[in-house]
Amino acid sequence: MKAAGTAEAGTVMKQMEKERVHDLFAGDGYIRADRKMIHDMYPLQVKKPGDAKGEWDLYNLLQTLPGATVSRPLAESSCPLVKK
């Protein structure tokens, strides 16, 4: 809201669509025109107890799935906010 300079919802959403999201949930995410948050996905595998090297060493990262490939393409969105 600070970057948009207003509390008006439409203006704030337009600003949010311009920004990248960098937080614990999404290292480099973004919001599409259909308001879907696009971010990488990280399938994990639980480690066997003997494989853990510490108290919080619980998972193996199997791969990184790019957000753009795991989400339905914007062109296929049925959202009324998307102009066809």
Side-chain angles (χ1 to χ4, degrees):
M1 288 176 49
K2 192 176 202 179
T6 175
E8 200 278 318
T11 303
V12 172
M13 278 309 304
K14 285 179 185 174
Q15 182 65 36
M16 289 178 70
E17 288 175 0
K18 294 177 189 176
E19 303 288 334
R20 299 301 274 197
V21 177
H22 301 281
D23 62 12
L24 181 64
F25 178 68
D28 189 30
Y30 59 95
I31 299 172
R32 290 193 318 199
D34 60 354
R35 306 304 190 252
K36 180 173 176 64
M37 171 76 164
I38 305 299
H39 58 89
D40 293 347
M41 298 285 188
Y42 306 99
L44 303 172
Q45 178 184 47
V46 177
K47 288 184 176 183
K48 296 176 185 172
D51 293 341
K53 293 182 174 81
E55 183 179 359
W56 293 102
D57 186 23
L58 304 172
Y59 305 102
N60 288 316
L61 174 62
L62 299 178
Q63 63 183 346
T64 299
L65 302 172
T69 63
V70 295
S71 299
R72 182 185 309 253
L74 186 58
E76 295 178 13
S77 175
S78 61
C79 178
L81 296 171
V82 178
K83 301 202 180 4
K84 303 281 181 176

